[in-house]
Amino acid sequence: MISSSIYTNEDLGKYPEGIQKALEYLMSRDFTQMEPGTYAIDGKDIYAMVMDITTCASADKRPEIHKKYADVQFVAKGREMLGYAPDIGDLTVADGKEEGDIYFYDDVGDESFLIATKGCYNIFFPNDIHRPGCMVDHPGKVRKVVVKVSMDRV
């Protein structure tokens, strides 16, 4: 997992090409002015999902992983808390869908939480269990963008 902000002016050249493309996309748009939906960046290899969510208690969200895509999760407006735990192979996937590339765990141990605010991004790879959309103090509205990057491009 990598956590940072588009406001840090970091050198994107240190990231793989697919992640660079995702971050460049996030830095070049005002997502508060876009309609929710899916936007192609580079075909099915890299695409963005713009969404409006309402955060909720972490107990109401299930930890998840993706096997075919890395997630670059970005907050355009609002704040959310995200859970994170490394997948070290000692947990069993409770259910999932290969078609949607999403697999859920019932619970994870040693989970850490971080707060993402406007401009923050978190990159989750296949070994990064994550629990997005959790509330900070109370439920809140968040404009969020998730850029999916095929692992073939990472």
Side-chain angles (χ1 to χ4, degrees):
M1 193 231 3
I2 298 170
S3 183
S4 192
S5 169
I6 63 168
Y7 303 122
T8 61
N9 296 319
E10 64 183 315
D11 174 22
L12 298 184
K14 66 184 174 186
Y15 295 120
E17 175 263 340
I19 299 295
Q20 287 179 42
K21 220 172 196 176
L23 294 174
E24 288 165 357
Y25 183 83
L26 292 172
M27 289 186 228
S28 66
R29 284 163 178 74
D30 179 359
F31 293 101
T32 64
Q33 301 302 310
M34 294 173 68
E35 290 294 320
T38 302
Y39 296 85
I41 299 171
D42 193 354
K44 292 183 180 180
D45 282 350
I46 306 172
Y47 62 93
M49 298 181 300
V50 178
M51 58 190 85
D52 293 317
I53 66 167
T54 300
T55 60
C56 61
S58 60
D60 295 334
K61 304 296 284 185
R62 293 176 73 192
E64 63 187 57
I65 61 165
H66 312 285
K67 296 179 181 180
K68 297 177 185 175
Y69 287 88
D71 266 8
V72 182
Q73 298 201 10
F74 175 74
V75 174
K77 183 179 177 184
R79 28 186 238 157
E80 79 172 314
M81 188 168 63
L82 298 105
Y84 161 76
D87 185 353
I88 58 173
D90 61 343
L91 300 170
T92 303
V93 171
D95 64 270
K97 300 175 188 167
E98 184 176 347
E99 179 182 305
D101 190 39
I102 190 163
Y103 302 87
F104 295 101
Y105 293 92
D106 286 330
D107 200 13
V108 296
D110 297 325
E111 186 174 14
S112 300
F113 286 88
L114 57 96
I115 296 173
T117 57
K118 180 182 175 185
C120 291
Y121 64 85
N122 295 282
I123 305 170
F124 297 103
F125 298 97
N127 289 336
D128 297 327
I129 301 169
H130 52 287
R131 187 189 308 247
C134 302
M135 65 185 193
V136 177
D137 299 314
H138 49 73
K141 303 280 185 197
V142 176
R143 169 55 64 103
K144 183 172 185 169
V145 182
V146 178
V147 179
K148 305 293 272 184
V149 180
S150 170
M151 288 306 296
D152 294 336
R153 302 287 294 275
V154 174

